Amino acid sequence: AAKARGRGQLRFFDETLDAQAAQRLRLEAELRRAIAGGELRLHYQPKVLLDAQGGAGGRIAGAEALVRWQHPERGLVPPGEFIALAEETGLIAPLTDWVLAEACRQLQAWQQAGLPVPALAVNLSAPSFADPGLDERLTALLAAHGLAPDRLVLEVTESLLMREPDATAARLAALRARGFGLALDDFGTGYSSLSYLKRFAIDELKIDRSFIVDAAQGGRDSALAKAIIALGRDLGLRVVAEGVETPEQAAFLRGHGCLYQQGWLYARSLPADGFAALLADGRPLGPA
Ligand code: C2E
Ligand code: MG
Ligand code: MG
Ligand code: MG
């Protein structure tokens, strides 16, 4: 009926809502098909380790898998446009299953090709992290691909953990006991109580990009970035700066002891073959 009406005609509010709901349903159906039908892709971005004294370049010490949707008409769609919908509709479960399986398949393929492949991080949404069956499935998946659990790092966001700190601490400890690496993503954005850091069984703290952007300018973000680095290091965590784009940011972070960095200064996220080429090449990434 809405279609039969001409352009420029008055639309009632509830019809607009109907249209929005219909659009959402379409997108949901499309995403469901995309997951089942092989339209998801993983891209890979290196996490580099800098030398405390040496040149500005860093060697690949890890990688993060980032999901994309290769849409038949819209091209490569970034996760910001479909992860929230997946979480709201329950599609996040099959999406996460696909991501984990593909990450393991790719890790095994790179290992078999003799590449110096680092541990691979995957992002987990709240429902996936909370899924009590995750531990078993991951353990089985890794075993099926001949991979040790420490080849996989699970990135969970700070805001996710703060909702139920007690349940979270237990959950993290259980995953840790199975040998997976654990990283706290987007750190600094989630109003965390710093005391939780002591209780959470994590290996890695990722400083959110929002603090990195102006970190080298002096001012508040510098102070916060310095404090997070010092705190993380004192707690024995690997501290990774996210979204490093400029040599100034990199130098500031390194000067304050943050030797693990990730960002466009070193490499963008790449399809599997591009990332494999970086691994094979072996040269340091970033400014020489
Ligand atoms: P994130 O886990 O914090 O990932 C970092 C994001 O920053 C990525 O965006 C990455 O491409 C981008 N980035 C890296 N270096 C730079 C830089 O130097 N400058 C700028 N401006 N950006 C940089 P992407 O790939 O669009 O992913 C966005 C978010 O989507 C991720 O944030 C993560 O929360 C979520 N996500 C990605 N893949 C998955 C997945 O497989 N499952 C789930 N549940 N979430 C995912
Ligand atoms: Mg992440
Ligand atoms: Mg992040
Ligand atoms: Mg982020």
Side-chain angles (χ1 to χ4, degrees), residues 39-198:
E39 290 178 19
L40 297 184
R41 301 285 181 272
L42 285 184
H43 282 197
Y44 303 87
Q45 187 180 37
K47 299 179 183 182
V48 307
L49 173 59
L50 303 178
D51 223 306
Q53 270 88 40
R59 63 173 186 81
I60 299 177
E64 179 172 9
L66 296 156
V67 74
R68 276 96 182 82
W69 176 1
Q70 185 65 58
H71 190 283
E73 286 105 41
R74 290 193 280 150
L76 202 62
V77 182
E81 293 182 30
F82 60 91
I83 290 290
L85 178 76
E87 289 173 356
E88 289 156 20
T89 55
L91 286 174
I92 195 67
L95 186 147
T96 298
D97 283 345
W98 182 86
V99 167
L100 294 171
E102 176 62 10
C104 288
R105 190 199 62 75
Q106 190 60 76
L107 268 175
Q108 184 186 33
W110 282 333
Q111 260 179 22
Q112 286 175 349
L115 291 167
V117 44
L120 183 60
V122 293
N123 292 281
L124 286 185
S125 291
S128 304
F129 175 73
D131 174 0
L134 177 73
D135 318 34
E136 286 286 334
R137 287 207 309 286
L138 266 181
T139 301
L141 194 59
L142 285 159
H145 289 87
L147 299 166
D150 68 357
R151 301 288 72 210
L152 215 54
V153 175
L154 308 175
E155 294 197 1
V156 292
T157 61
E158 183 194 12
S159 50
L160 178 162
L161 302 189
M162 298 308 154
R163 274 185 239 159
E164 291 177 81
D166 292 327
T168 292
R171 198 74 194 86
L172 288 171
L175 290 166
R176 190 61 150 346
R178 293 210 178 228
F180 308 120
L182 290 164
L184 202 47
D185 207 349
D186 302 345
F187 188 77
T189 58
Y191 305 99
S192 54
S193 162
L194 293 178
S195 66
Y196 288 138
L197 278 184
K198 196 174 58 175

Side-chain angles (χ1 to χ4, degrees), residues 235-275:
L235 290 170
L237 304 173
R238 193 164 59 225
V239 181
V240 180
E242 291 192 297
V244 178
E245 294 182 357
T246 71
E248 292 72 30
Q249 292 163 356
F252 171 88
L253 292 161
R254 177 163 80 166
H256 289 94
C258 182
L259 301 181
Y260 288 92
Q261 302 187 9
Q262 181 178 356
W264 296 346
L265 178 66
Y266 304 101
R268 301 219 168 209
S269 64
L270 298 162
D273 53 352
F275 185 76

